[in-house]
Amino acid sequence: MEIHDKYVFGRDKVESKRLDSQHRLLVKVTGNTLIHPTIPTEQIRSVADIATGTGIWLEDVSQFLDTPHIQRYYHGFDISSDQFPDNPGSIHLSVHDLTDPFPREHWNRYDLVHVRLLVAALEEYEYRAAITNIYNILKPGGYLQWEEIDEETYISKDNPVIWELRRCFDYSLTTEGKCFQASAKVYQESQIVGFVDVERLAYDSHQNPDLRLDTDKRLAAIIRTLYARLLWRSGQVDGEEAAARKAEALIELHLGLCDRGCSPSVKLMRVVGRKPFAASL
């Protein structure tokens, strides 16, 4: 992978496994709400998932919505097909960049469009185009659900690991022209584009103490992958090996704090909005 690849993470089997584990954790963080409760699931007949990766969110949603005698359509889009499942079953998959308009056959097609974790992928100026493109493929009355782990997650009064992650991510993403305040940006741009009933919600893993070990492991994985990658990409260290060494030192500090009962939480931000019934393209 090139240092300036738009996608920060890798796309190998190890990374796909990490994505699937992360998905399962984030679903638990939201109280097992794959779809926000304000979205009327009985009306959903077609679902799109942007930056679908391994397609695991669509797979779970298709099982959650499964109803006898009702046929539904599921479509996952990603900028690369490298992590698409070999046997997607009834799920359709396409390579597409969210910042480009979708093919016309997708316009006005979906009751729900889901997006997750593009904070390290989209440049700040691209959010307006991305949200406009989502607006266009939603049916009038259809819903957007966009989830991010961004600036709001990396806030702590007393954890030096979180302080360092926040410093690194803010510096690195700003250097690349990206927006660390991703959920706030989505909330703002969604209203400008024309979505109504827009909400920005926060979920915290500390609400479920049983998630502590999973969140500890997830943060260690983020340090080993995203933190190390951004250190290198932004020129804060001299090469991949130096980035890996710094990441391992931070993981050691993190795990030591966890052993002493100082486990940080995972906070997931979720923006939900509806395309007006009277919307026109």
Side-chain angles (χ1 to χ4, degrees), residues 43 107-111 134-143 274-281:
Q43 299 176 18
W107 286 33
N108 288 307
R109 185 171 191 173
Y110 298 98
D111 298 298
I134 292 170
Y135 186 93
N136 288 341
I137 65 173
L138 277 167
K139 296 176 184 177
Y143 286 84
R274 178 174 59 83
K275 181 176 178 176
F277 285 102
S280 59
L281 298 180

Side-chain angles (χ1 to χ4, degrees), residues 74-267:
Y74 302 96
H75 202 121
F77 299 92
D78 202 289
I79 199 169
S80 168
S81 63
D82 289 353
Q83 291 174 291
F84 286 172
D86 294 330
N87 299 299
S90 61
I91 296 172
H92 300 263
L93 298 167
S94 296
V95 173
H96 184 79
D97 187 331
L98 175 59
T99 61
D100 294 330
F102 287 87
R104 295 286 298 204
E105 62 263 28
H106 293 286
W107 286 33
N108 288 307
R109 185 171 191 173
Y110 298 98
D111 298 298
L112 171 63
V113 174
H114 173 259
V115 189
R116 184 194 279 164
L117 304 188
L118 290 183
V119 61
L122 289 179
E123 294 189 36
E124 187 164 4
Y125 78 92
E126 293 178 312
Y127 280 84
R128 180 76 57 86
I131 293 169
T132 299
N133 294 333
I134 292 170
Y135 186 93
N136 288 341
I137 65 173
L138 277 167
K139 296 176 184 177
Y143 286 84
L144 164 66
Q145 179 177 300
W146 188 316
E147 296 156 342
E148 287 292 350
I149 292 177
D150 56 17
E151 182 186 50
E152 297 290 337
T153 296
Y154 298 97
I155 298 174
S156 175
K157 294 181 180 179
D158 55 7
N159 191 311
V161 174
I162 299 300
W163 297 343
E164 169 59 12
L165 290 176
R166 184 182 178 88
R167 181 209 64 78
C168 172
F169 294 168
D170 190 24
Y171 176 86
S172 303
L173 295 176
T174 301
T175 299
E176 295 190 8
K178 295 171 180 174
C179 181
F180 196 28
Q181 302 80 31
S183 60
K185 183 71 172 175
V186 172
Y187 177 77
Q188 176 188 37
E189 294 290 346
S190 296
Q191 295 174 86
I192 293 172
V193 167
F195 283 93
V196 296
D197 301 331
V198 181
E199 294 184 87
R200 180 170 172 253
L201 309 138
Y203 299 86
D204 195 316
S205 65
H206 275 179
Q207 295 174 355
N208 184 350
D210 293 339
L211 298 180
R212 186 181 65 81
L213 290 178
D214 285 343
T215 57
D216 290 350
K217 291 178 182 178
R218 182 202 164 273
L219 188 60
I222 285 296
I223 296 171
R224 188 168 283 121
T225 53
L226 181 60
Y227 173 72
R229 184 70 180 172
L230 288 179
L231 281 176
W232 177 40
R233 284 170 67 113
S234 60
Q236 297 179 65
V237 295
D238 186 17
E240 284 186 280
E241 291 186 5
R245 287 195 298 271
K246 190 165 184 178
E248 292 304 320
L250 193 63
I251 290 172
E252 184 176 355
L253 175 59
H254 163 60
L255 295 178
L257 289 171
C258 293
D259 288 342
R260 296 197 293 274
C262 299
S263 295
S265 66
V266 168
K267 183 179 288 184

